[in-house]
Amino acid sequence: MIINTTSKKLFTWLDNRFNLSPLLEFMRNKQVPVHRHSVWYYMGGVTLFLFCVQVFSGILLLFYYKPGIDSSFESIRFIMTKVQFGWLIRSIHSWSANFMVFFIFIHMFSTFFTRAYKKPRELTWISGFILLSLALGFGFSGYLLPWNELAFFATKVGTDIVGAIPLIGDAIKIVLRGGEEVTGGTLLRFYAFHVALLPALFTVFLGLHLLFIQRQGMHEPEFIEQLPKDKKKVIPFFPDFFLRDAFLWLIVLNILLFLAVFFPWEIGNKADAFAPAPEGIKPEWYFMFMFQTLKLLPGQILFIEGEIVGILFFTFAAIIWLLVPFWEIRKKPGKKIQPMTVLGIISVLFILIMTIIGYIA
Amino acid sequence: MNKRKQYIFLITLTISLNSNLAIFAEDKISMEKEDHCISCHIEDEVLPENFKDYDIHNQSGLGCSGCHGGDAAKEDMDEAMSEKSGFIGIPNKHQIPGICGKCHSDIEFMRQYQPRIATDQVEQYYTSFHGKKLLEGDKKVADCTNCHTSHAIISAKDPRSTVYALNVPQTCTQCHGDADYMKSYNIPTNQYTEYVKSIHGISLLEEQDTGSPACNDCHGNHGATPPGIISISHVCGLCHANNMQYFSTSVMGKVFEEQELHACEECHGYHQIEKTTYEMIGVGENSVCIDCHSEGDTGYLVADSISRLIMTAVTLHDSALIRQTEVIRKGMDDVEIGFLLGDAKQNLIQARTIVHTFDPDKVGEKTEASSSNSKAAISLADKEVEDYYVRRRGFGIATIFITIVVVALFVKIRDLEKKRLAEQSAQQQS
């Protein structure tokens, strides 16, 4: 009773100054459609939860991580072996990073297949695409931070690929590496990207992405949109949808704990710039489809180097994908499988097949 | 060797050296740019294939006439190989050391090619068993060409060379392993077959470790001779310096010297030196100590005491290794354990070396240190294994807690849904 009275007083105090009542009213009335594709609504929420896990575990790691060619690997080993629960935090950070990218992909493709990118949600799609790019940047920069040999050579290969982009590639490579080669300078640079630049950008675009969703509400698939209002099933966002979200988050958290305990993330061997490249250098799984495609391309395609053709193809494909809301092929009535669905299936299959080949080869 | 014999030997040696060197005393070493000998003799089977590519002399510009005499600049065969031009043809066995020594004994000349090269090969050769026998007129003994070949001479550092470390045993056994050839010398011919089974042979020939000794490392190169009793421990001590020092200053070292026993060889053998084992120490059936000592004597008691000290440390070290494997298998931290086990091993190695003092107190210091490291490693391993189970228990507790919350959420969601449906149906009815 006392708590209720105090919280009411506090709310009134804040409301008088910041006019919170409309916001509260908005949240009270916010509704989420219920239909056979509702499950995809939870993918964005899980991604957001994993981002929070990343921020929390990342801050804890920052307490002990020391960037530098003489300290990165050693400090990670210290975290894994000496710091209380350091092994748990580091493993959760690594597993959660992979989960986050995975759920971003799921979220993106579910948005694509349900055509949620259409007017008026073009900017939500674009901000989501930017968030995916930033997440990949997080993955690429974070991979190098333990300064182990696999990460060192994968970064070398990765930045070499960037360097092959015509005209601007070499300049980007030098900016990324902080020089001609992957050195301690690159490590410091990647550290700065990973803990300062990318989080700042990610927070801005995540804020915009969430703001757009709140302003426009959840997207309804066409077959729901066409129904009369009294036929549409909805649930309130608070507390029903939020509790369902929390339900899924807890399951994901338990899976993360399981993986961290039973499959702790390896440290590997310390990077040695003068050692020969070890066997099995491979990028993170989410870059594998691009890496494998570049590997499979012939040395020369017509008069252009195969690798450059591949890079140009992926750059072009990314731009096309980013601009999907502006060029999408309209639905063809009577057709069981729409052209955009076919395009999406081809894209998913391409990514899956190339990733599998990359791991088998 | 009595004095008369010594004088005869020295005079013979001097005459031989002078006469051999005199053959080319007035000649300049032939370094022609244009060598007409090769143009005819290249197809001669004496010259090996690719002779021009890898013969070190040919590469350095030393022509055929450098060894065989003659004038390689002359196109006419008769003029080129005339007596006037100093042609000697195929040198006889006695001439060979002198011919090689013409350059190889001249430091002024040789330092142009290798500033640090030794120039005492010929001098050493005549002190070797091979050289002495050659002076006595024996034509079967090895001269320079038997080991280095005559027309395919490659630097000893080159793996293709017959005297490259890995090839030396095979080169020596060409003669020393041939029972018929060696019959007249009345010496064993099983050195190579024994050597290949030895720790040195396995290390050199199988593991390709060029740091392991080949024949020449114990017997010498150009001055090759069997090591005498006194020099055996010195020969082994060239590599096993600590063992030699401990042994030579020990009680046993003095007794060995007095009784003219073959130091290292008595326990370890010579050509077939096997990898040492802990069983070699003590009073067990594989012990070498009981070859001389028997129950009741001091040596027997000392051997037993040292063996017990070492075996205690070894057992603890082995137990710690097993525990470390378990820690690794469980994916836990074994870095510190590895360091401790490294120290334990190092102390054990030192204890094995100090065995050559035959002093249980000195050996005990090292075995105690090793045991202490092993015990610390076992204790750390126990902690890591315990931690492993704590983590799993912690995960179990967390899962139970999360599951309770998940179930509670599920119940709450269902209640909310029921409530909402009830409200909706009430609204529809009204």
Side-chain angles (χ1 to χ4, degrees):
Chain A
M1 184 68 83
I2 297 164
I3 296 168
N4 270 348
T5 322
T6 316
S7 59
K8 268 183 187 169
K9 275 184 182 172
L10 180 67
F11 179 75
T12 313
W13 190 87
L14 288 168
D15 194 28
N16 288 339
R17 283 155 185 82
F18 300 105
N19 190 24
L20 294 176
S21 293
L23 187 65
L24 199 69
E25 199 58 28
F26 166 78
M27 286 165 78
R28 199 172 283 149
N29 293 323
K30 185 175 164 59
Q31 291 184 322
V32 179
V34 178
H35 49 81
R36 65 173 190 266
H37 295 312
S38 291
V39 66
W40 301 117
Y41 290 143
Y42 298 98
M43 297 303 117
V46 174
T47 312
L48 181 64
F49 167 71
L50 289 166
F51 176 68
C52 295
V53 171
Q54 284 307 90
V55 172
F56 178 69
S57 56
I59 289 170
L60 291 179
L61 290 175
L62 274 179
F63 292 163
Y64 292 98
Y65 178 73
K66 294 175 192 160
I69 52 171
D70 295 324
S71 55
S72 282
F73 184 81
E74 287 73 10
S75 62
I76 294 283
R77 194 161 65 186
F78 182 77
I79 289 168
M80 292 292 280
T81 57
K82 301 286 171 211
V83 178
Q84 285 280 337
F85 295 106
W87 59 274
L88 183 68
I89 299 300
R90 196 247 166 175
S91 284
I92 283 184
H93 192 75
S94 303
W95 277 113
S96 173
N98 285 277
F99 270 46
M100 187 174 127
V101 176
F102 175 74
F103 278 104
I104 291 178
F105 271 108
I106 300 281
H107 184 46
M108 181 183 72
F109 279 110
S110 65
T111 309
F112 181 86
F113 285 116
T114 53
R115 299 184 155 220
Y117 52 79
K118 281 194 309 183
K119 188 185 170 186
R121 294 184 175 78
E122 299 94 329
L123 289 180
T124 318
W125 171 265
I126 289 173
S127 60
F129 184 88
I130 293 170
L131 286 171
L132 166 68
S133 311
L134 292 172
L136 296 179
F138 267 123
F140 189 61
S141 56
Y143 195 44
L144 181 68
L145 299 189
W147 198 245
N148 58 33
E149 58 184 15
L150 274 182
F152 175 81
F153 286 103
T155 305
K156 216 170 169 154
V157 174
T159 45
D160 269 338
I161 291 171
V162 174
I165 299 172
L167 302 172
I168 53 167
D170 210 38
I172 298 174
K173 186 176 89 175
I174 287 174
V175 169
L176 282 175
R177 288 183 173 180
E180 288 289 343
E181 294 295 327
V182 175
T183 60
T186 319
L187 178 63
L188 283 177
R189 205 160 274 234
F190 274 41
Y191 174 67
F193 292 153
H194 195 77
V195 304
L197 184 65
L198 290 173
L201 289 173
F202 199 92
T203 309
V204 169
F205 283 99
L206 180 64
L208 284 174
H209 194 70
L210 293 174
L211 183 70
F212 295 156
I213 293 164
Q214 297 314 311
R215 287 295 292 165
Q216 296 173 326
M218 296 290 206
H219 165 259
E220 290 176 345
E222 279 171 26
F223 65 91
I224 295 289
E225 227 172 11
Q226 288 157 1
L227 290 174
K229 204 175 176 185
D230 58 324
K231 294 274 182 195
K232 287 181 186 174
K233 276 190 187 173
V234 289
I235 53 167
F237 188 88
F238 287 107
D240 294 51
F241 187 80
F242 180 75
L243 287 179
R244 284 170 166 80
D245 251 345
F247 179 80
L248 189 59
W249 296 355
L250 282 172
I251 290 170
V252 170
L253 178 67
N254 211 20
I255 293 170
L256 278 179
L257 283 173
F258 169 79
L259 291 169
V261 172
F262 288 91
F263 303 98
W265 208 262
E266 284 184 12
I267 310 176
N269 299 317
K270 188 177 174 175
D272 178 2
F274 299 108
E279 275 186 34
I281 302 171
K282 48 173 80 103
E284 293 276 61
W285 62 267
Y286 37 85
F287 291 118
M288 184 56 96
F289 72 98
M290 290 190 267
F291 182 71
Q292 189 57 31
T293 309
L294 294 178
K295 260 172 81 175
L296 291 179
L297 285 173
Q300 200 79 16
I301 298 172
L302 297 173
F303 54 91
I304 313 173
E305 208 178 305
E307 194 180 35
I308 294 174
V309 173
I311 292 165
L312 290 175
F313 165 75
F314 283 117
T315 312
F316 184 68
I319 294 168
I320 296 283
W321 196 254
L322 170 72
L323 300 175
V324 157
F326 306 103
W327 61 261
E328 73 145 349
I329 305 163
R330 282 172 188 267
K331 267 194 159 181
K332 294 191 174 163
K335 276 217 164 188
K336 209 173 179 185
I337 302 177
Q338 294 299 322
M340 288 306 276
T341 312
V342 173
L343 189 71
I345 290 170
I346 290 171
S347 306
V348 173
L349 283 178
F350 173 75
I351 292 172
L352 280 178
I353 290 168
M354 281 300 168
T355 306
I356 291 167
I357 293 174
Y359 280 98
I360 291 172
Chain B
M1 201 184 281
N2 60 37
K3 277 197 171 178
R4 198 164 144 261
K5 277 187 178 169
Q6 280 180 5
Y7 283 133
I8 293 169
F9 171 71
L10 280 172
I11 290 163
T12 322
L13 177 66
T14 315
I15 292 167
S16 173
L17 276 173
N18 287 338
S19 63
N20 285 332
L21 291 172
I23 296 170
F24 297 100
E26 289 174 10
D27 290 351
K28 294 221 165 171
I29 294 152
S30 180
M31 309 288 284
E32 296 93 347
K33 281 180 186 164
E34 201 179 1
D35 198 326
H36 289 293
C37 310
I38 290 179
S39 54
C40 293
H41 287 275
I42 191 70
E43 285 171 18
D44 194 327
E45 60 187 18
V46 173
L47 292 179
E49 207 181 340
N50 303 327
F51 159 75
K52 274 187 157 183
D53 296 332
Y54 65 85
D55 182 83
I56 195 166
H57 294 137
N58 188 55
Q59 281 176 352
S60 302
L62 177 70
C64 309
S65 58
C67 299
H68 296 283
D71 188 350
K74 294 271 185 334
E75 279 190 57
D76 183 76
M77 209 163 68
D78 293 330
E79 278 187 67
M81 296 194 290
S82 67
E83 229 174 275
K84 199 176 148 196
S85 61
F87 181 71
I88 61 160
I90 300 170
N92 66 46
K93 209 168 180 71
H94 291 279
Q95 287 174 319
I96 288 171
I99 292 171
C100 299
K102 191 173 64 170
C103 299
H104 282 276
S105 299
D106 183 352
I107 187 63
E108 295 294 331
F109 179 77
M110 289 308 294
R111 70 159 64 106
Q112 298 173 74
Y113 300 95
Q114 287 185 49
R116 289 171 60 195
I117 198 168
T119 48
D120 60 348
Q121 296 95 332
V122 176
E123 203 180 322
Q124 278 200 34
Y125 174 73
Y126 283 114
T127 67
S128 76
F129 199 78
H130 296 141
K132 285 177 188 169
K133 285 298 238 182
L134 183 73
L135 288 175
E136 286 170 16
D138 187 340
K139 289 184 180 172
K140 284 169 71 182
V141 289
D143 59 50
C144 315
T145 60
N146 292 102
C147 300
H148 293 278
T149 76
S150 46
H151 294 115
I153 301 173
I154 312 172
S155 163
K157 289 174 188 161
D158 189 320
R160 296 171 302 175
S161 166
T162 48
V163 289
Y164 179 64
L166 297 182
N167 304 329
V168 166
Q170 196 59 49
T171 300
C172 297
T173 202
Q174 295 294 326
C175 299
H176 284 274
D178 186 338
D180 287 338
Y181 193 78
M182 298 302 290
K183 206 172 180 180
S184 56
Y185 300 103
N186 199 25
I187 58 170
T189 51
N190 62 348
Q191 297 93 334
Y192 182 77
T193 48
E194 285 195 341
Y195 173 77
V196 293
K197 287 184 267 180
S198 75
I199 182 72
H200 296 142
I202 291 167
S203 177
L204 182 77
L205 302 173
E206 285 182 23
E207 293 164 14
Q208 312 270 294
D209 180 359
T210 52
S212 289
C215 318
N216 60 318
D217 290 294
C218 299
H219 295 282
N221 300 317
H222 303 101
T225 184
I229 289 170
I230 299 168
S231 63
I232 282 181
S233 64
H234 294 166
V235 168
C236 303
L238 287 173
C239 299
H240 303 278
N242 288 334
N243 303 45
M244 182 201 78
Q245 198 194 337
Y246 288 135
F247 178 79
S248 56
T249 54
S250 72
V251 183
M252 295 275 275
K254 281 171 199 149
V255 175
F256 268 53
E257 210 176 314
E258 283 162 17
Q259 297 189 11
E260 294 194 349
L261 291 168
H262 287 201
C264 318
E265 188 191 318
E266 294 296 337
C267 301
H268 296 283
Y270 48 110
H271 292 122
Q272 195 174 331
I273 298 169
E274 286 178 6
K275 189 174 165 57
T276 51
T277 61
Y278 292 116
E279 285 74 34
M280 284 175 74
I281 312 159
V283 291
E285 57 179 296
N286 294 323
S287 154
V288 292
C289 309
I290 55 167
D291 290 350
C292 302
H293 297 284
S294 53
E295 205 166 351
D297 72 23
T298 316
Y300 188 90
L301 292 172
V302 168
D304 191 29
S305 165
I306 290 176
S307 167
R308 282 172 196 278
L309 286 169
I310 287 188
M311 289 319 291
T312 307
V314 169
T315 311
L316 267 169
H317 181 255
D318 288 349
S319 306
L321 274 178
I322 292 167
R323 296 296 281 159
Q324 186 195 27
T325 312
E326 193 182 349
V327 168
I328 295 168
R329 213 181 56 235
K330 286 185 157 47
M332 302 300 283
D333 172 28
D334 76 311
V335 176
E336 290 289 330
I337 299 168
F339 290 146
L340 283 165
L341 281 176
D343 288 345
K345 178 103 193 240
Q346 184 60 28
N347 279 312
L348 255 180
I349 291 168
Q350 286 176 356
R352 278 167 55 167
T353 304
I354 293 173
V355 163
H356 297 94
T357 62
F358 308 101
D359 182 342
D361 290 340
K362 285 181 181 164
V363 175
E365 279 173 30
K366 289 294 166 190
T367 52
E368 187 55 42
S370 173
S371 299
S372 160
N373 292 135
S374 297
K375 281 177 192 166
I378 290 171
S379 163
L380 261 183
D382 287 344
K383 199 173 151 290
E384 288 295 325
V385 172
E386 169 71 20
D387 222 24
Y388 168 83
Y389 289 110
V390 167
R391 284 182 189 184
R392 267 146 186 76
R393 281 197 291 272
F395 171 71
I397 293 165
T399 304
I400 291 168
F401 177 74
I402 291 170
T403 310
I404 291 169
V405 178
V406 166
V407 170
L409 273 176
F410 181 73
V411 172
K412 178 76 181 167
I413 291 164
R414 262 184 51 185
D415 281 355
L416 284 171
E417 209 164 320
K418 274 182 190 170
K419 210 171 148 188
R420 197 179 58 253
L421 286 171
E423 275 173 13
Q424 278 174 359
S425 92
Q427 272 176 2
Q428 277 171 359
Q429 279 174 3
S430 65

